[in-house]
Amino acid sequence: MRLTSKGRYAVMALVDLARFDGINPVSLRDISLRQGISLDYLEQIFSKLRKKEIVQSVRGTQGGYILNRKAKEIKLTNIFDAVDEKVKTVQCKKESKKGCNGKSTKCLTHNLWDELETHINNFFDKKSLDDLVKENLERRF
Amino acid sequence: MRLTSKGRYAVMALVDLARFDGINPVSLRDISLRQGISLDYLEQIFSKLRKKEIVQSVRGTQGGYILNRKAKEIKLTNIFDAVDEKVKTVQCKKESKKGCNGKSTKCLTHNLWDELETHINNFFDKKSLDDLVKENLERRF
DNA sequence: ATGATACTTGACTATTTTGGTCAGGTTTAT
DNA sequence: ATAAACCTGACCAAAATAGTCAAGTATCAT
């Protein structure tokens, strides 16, 4: 299973950005400073977010990024998906036609990981970016 | 988050073993052959399972491992815990006194990971080894 | 007793993933 | 024109993963 800093940074950055939704673009430099994330790394992350149409870029001076949809419509699954955080553990899944360990049958835990995946995705499907923004409203940034 | 082959192998091996619960010890060699897991690697895994009193070893010829408790009483959380599969993503957690990124406040996603962790642990707390054995009863091994 | 079976332990290692950095762009507001 | 900001691809060090290897020790069957 992979749920690492990249996904976490993506969410942090988008929560930061979402506060300005509809006001003005937010530069990665600002996000970098506020959230303590390397600028170069943010650029990689936002490149992926842009390709998946979660954000839009505004080039040039005073440029930055803006949300491409409303915060309420951006679910955490979308974000993790964009930055390639797969909520999947299992090698089992790779060779879908055959069984798991190169054998012809599924491994003894195959269904288990299926269920877990569903369980986790349910969690992330319910949470939107907007939810997180609201949870953090009273906080200092 | 870390949920990798080691945890998966541990569960597979224990499901295999649990079928003989109360009958006779199962050698790692047999598990290795049936499940397609390296013997040396299994030894590492079972060393940890033994230390956490999930299995007991029986040395000598016809030896092997047996469950130390009933399959119904072994929850998947116990297994993952034994083999050091932490269901935790977050660096946030390390420095519990301070905030997350070395800052004085929690990061914007801190609560999120807390909730996720609870969510996943709930899932694994409900599942026992016995559940998995039953799910696989009709299958060939 | 003695050999085979099986557990025990610890060191070692190749590969992959992660979490970045670095360099060299291009675009656009002012 | 120039600085701010995005854009892209290559590169890299450290850590984690998934093992292997070696050298035992304990116990049972014969």
Side-chain angles (χ1 to χ4, degrees), chain A residues 1 3 5 8 11-12 34-35 89 91-92 101 103 106 108-109 115 119 127 136 139 141, chain B residues 1 3 5 8 11-12 34-35 89 91-92 101 103 106 108-109 115 119 127 136 139 141:
Chain A
M1 164 122 45
L3 268 183
S5 285
R8 178 169 147 251
V11 175
M12 284 169 67
R34 278 193 295 257
Q35 304 301 329
T89 325
Q91 294 143 309
C92 306
N101 300 333
K103 299 190 172 183
K106 288 183 184 174
L108 298 178
T109 60
E115 289 175 42
H119 189 70
K127 286 265 178 191
N136 284 289
R139 298 243 227 104
F141 287 87
Chain B
M1 166 119 49
L3 268 183
S5 285
R8 177 169 146 251
V11 175
M12 283 168 68
R34 277 193 296 258
Q35 304 303 328
T89 324
Q91 294 143 311
C92 307
N101 301 332
K103 298 191 171 182
K106 289 182 186 175
L108 298 179
T109 61
E115 289 176 41
H119 190 69
K127 284 265 178 192
N136 284 289
R139 299 244 226 103
F141 285 92

Side-chain angles (χ1 to χ4, degrees), chain B residues 117-133:
Chain B
E117 208 170 300
T118 304
H119 190 69
I120 294 178
N121 280 325
N122 279 344
F123 179 79
F124 284 135
D125 265 336
K126 281 179 197 151
K127 284 265 178 192
S128 73
L129 195 51
D130 193 50
D131 295 332
L132 290 184
V133 172

Side-chain angles (χ1 to χ4, degrees), chain A residues 17-33:
Chain A
L17 196 164
R19 290 179 302 140
F20 298 92
D21 190 28
I23 304 176
N24 50 22
V26 180
S27 73
L28 294 190
R29 190 170 162 281
D30 287 352
I31 295 177
S32 166
L33 290 173

Side-chain angles (χ1 to χ4, degrees), chain B residues 76-118:
Chain B
L76 295 196
T77 35
N78 304 142
I79 300 174
F80 290 131
D81 183 52
V83 298
D84 300 316
E85 292 272 75
K86 307 285 184 198
V87 179
K88 289 189 176 181
T89 324
V90 204
Q91 294 143 311
C92 307
K93 291 292 177 60
K94 285 180 188 169
E95 51 265 69
S96 52
K97 291 182 180 179
K98 291 188 172 183
C100 299
N101 301 332
K103 298 191 171 182
S104 60
T105 53
K106 289 182 186 175
C107 80
L108 298 179
T109 61
H110 195 97
N111 293 334
L112 179 66
W113 305 122
D114 263 355
E115 289 176 41
L116 174 63
E117 208 170 300
T118 304

Side-chain angles (χ1 to χ4, degrees), chain B residues 13 17 26-33 37 39 42-44 46 63-65:
Chain B
L17 196 164
V26 180
S27 72
L28 295 190
R29 191 171 162 280
D30 286 352
I31 295 178
S32 167
L33 290 173
I37 305 168
L39 176 58
L42 275 176
E43 279 169 350
Q44 279 184 41
F46 272 76
Y65 286 93

